[in-house]
Amino acid sequence: MAIEKMEVLVVGGGQAGLAMSEHLSNCSVPHLVLERHRIAERWRSERWDSLVANGPAWHDRFPGMEFSDTDPAAFAPKERIADYFVAYAKQIAAPIRCGVEVKQVQRNIGRPGFRVETSEGVIEATNVLAATGPFQRPVIPAVVPEDAKIMQIHSNAYRNPTQLPEGAVLVVGAGSSGVQIADELLRAGKRVFLSVGPHDRPPRSYRARDFVWWLGVLGKWDAEAAGPGMEHVTISVSGAHGGHTVDFRRLAAQGMTLVGRTESFKGGVMNFAPDLADNLAHGDTNYLSVLDEADAYVARNGLDLPEEPDARNVEPDPRCVSEPILELNLAEAGITSIVWATGFALDYSWLKVDAFDKNGKPAHQRGVAAEPGIYFLGLPWQSRRGSSFIWGVWHDAKYLADHISRQRQYLAYQTSAKRKIEGS
Ligand SMILES: Cc1cc2nc3c(=O)[nH]c(=O)nc-3n(C[C@H](O)[C@H](O)[C@H](O)COP(=O)(O)OP(=O)(O)OC[C@H]3O[C@@H](n4cnc5c(N)ncnc54)[C@H](O)[C@@H]3O)c2cc1C
């Protein structure tokens, strides 16, 4: 049977794969998107039930289509986000095959291109673009042994409070996932301990503008790299319940117990770093710096945006911050489950090419890999802070489509002598 040939094979049919398809079509580059499950699957089956977008619908979307059934200022629920991408794929007539998994990609020997083994046979591709997501494999730090008598799940397996056993819960990690899950569990009447690490904590809105607008006009989504030593600082924001600023002290006042970074576990006792106050102070500094920069922007541009002095009020430290818990016997505290909101790792075990550094991370420049013909899209900080988010990936995809298009022109180049011979 003849082997199918394709100029660009895009692996993954999430937002990154679709953005790539749109830009490749705009550049008239033949391509195919392979998705092992359904379009935007992770929004459907790897996120908790009540999740809504972290940004308002006017912002967390592609330029070419608005959310038809969501107020632009509202935060779209996760199923609606997945539906949006299904509709988008239809609008751009994306050549996408669902239910096909890419098992292995290898460079051809002695000729250009790659041999792509899929669950439905082999494809020969000139270029392969990995759009398999910024958050692929859940990471649970090796702190509590698996056989300890306590339920442990990662945030990507958490669905809703009924999933957890009776008793208190420890949520580890206070990025957007951890803080939203902890808040939901507290509202459901559970006793909640939240382990808070370093974080940024922008205001949900300030002077009548959402923080996504402020980060946009202040150029922060376009920042090319996090500050020195800050590479892993997570942004703690929430679109839940209409959207609100994440305020750890307020959560403590509502009954949540805050602890510092989770460090180790021995004999049923969990140890926490003595860094809770510092982490909250760092979050406050970040919060206040956004207000300062926003005020300066308003003044410089003479904008008529209402002042909001109350936004600078900081609640006093609750007892769990001034007298932090450094050790906790989980059984004595009634803790029966742990939700690890501790992030994700990349997994390119299927991509057997020379495109990774010595730590196994993609070696690339703005998504153009060290191995010619291989591309990455949707990586965290691929070109800027916004790269792994809905609106940012669209711009990175445009850059890559331009790059692929230019490479095609080089490869199509012929000398005038050769053109003449072929024409005669
Ligand atoms: C909890 C959470 C909330 C988020 N909220 C927001 C938000 O509100 N706004 C925002 O802008 N961003 C948000 N993000 C970040 C980002 O938008 C999402 O992670 C988004 O899913 C990334 O899209 P993607 O297309 O890059 O990757 P993914 O959505 O992960 O898509 C990759 C696709 O590749 C497929 N795939 C993987 N391996 C293979 C293979 N070998 N063969 C074939 N197919 C394969 C997968 O099935 C998947 O469908 C959130 C992330 C998380 C974790």
Side-chain angles (χ1 to χ4, degrees), residues 3 15 36 75 86 99 123 157 210 219 265 290 330 341 348 385 419 422:
I3 289 182
Q15 63 207 33
R36 64 183 170 188
F75 302 89
V86 172
I123 297 177
D210 193 89
F265 176 81
V290 176
L330 298 188
Y348 291 111
R385 185 197 291 265
R419 274 200 303 270
E422 283 179 358

Side-chain angles (χ1 to χ4, degrees), residues 10-18 34-43 46-48 51-55 59-61 76 81 100-103 131-136 155 176-177 344 347 350 377-379 386-393:
V10 178
V11 187
Q15 63 207 33
L18 295 178
L34 295 184
E35 164 57 49
R36 64 183 170 188
H37 299 307
R38 294 171 292 180
I39 290 171
E41 178 68 30
R42 280 201 230 267
W43 283 103
E46 294 191 33
R47 311 264 153 87
W48 62 95
L51 176 69
V52 299
N54 286 328
H59 185 263
D60 280 20
R61 66 175 177 87
I81 298 174
V100 183
E101 181 169 7
V102 171
K103 303 273 194 191
T132 46
F135 307 120
Q136 298 175 15
S155 56
S176 299
S177 294
F344 298 80
D347 182 359
W350 52 274
L377 181 59
L379 296 173
S387 286
S388 56
F389 300 109
I390 295 171
W391 66 98
V393 80

Side-chain angles (χ1 to χ4, degrees), residues 221-225 364-367 379-388 392 395-396 399:
W221 290 129
D222 287 331
E224 285 182 8
H364 70 99
Q365 210 236 341
R366 290 187 69 177
L379 296 173
W381 292 94
Q382 175 153 321
S383 72
R384 67 191 86 190
R385 185 197 291 265
S387 286
S388 56
H395 295 282
D396 283 351
Y399 174 82

Side-chain angles (χ1 to χ4, degrees), residues 53 55-62 64-72 74-85 390:
W58 67 263
H59 185 263
D60 280 20
R61 66 175 177 87
F62 285 168
M65 196 171 105
E66 293 184 5
F67 277 84
S68 58
D69 45 3
T70 305
D71 174 355
F75 302 89
K78 63 161 192 128
E79 288 295 329
R80 210 166 283 171
I81 298 174
D83 292 344
Y84 171 90
F85 287 119
I390 295 171

Side-chain angles (χ1 to χ4, degrees), residues 8 10 19-31 400-401 404:
V8 181
V10 178
M20 200 61 223
S21 178
E22 176 174 9
H23 290 297
L24 287 171
S25 291
N26 290 345
C27 295
S28 306
V29 178
H31 64 281
L400 291 181
I404 291 170

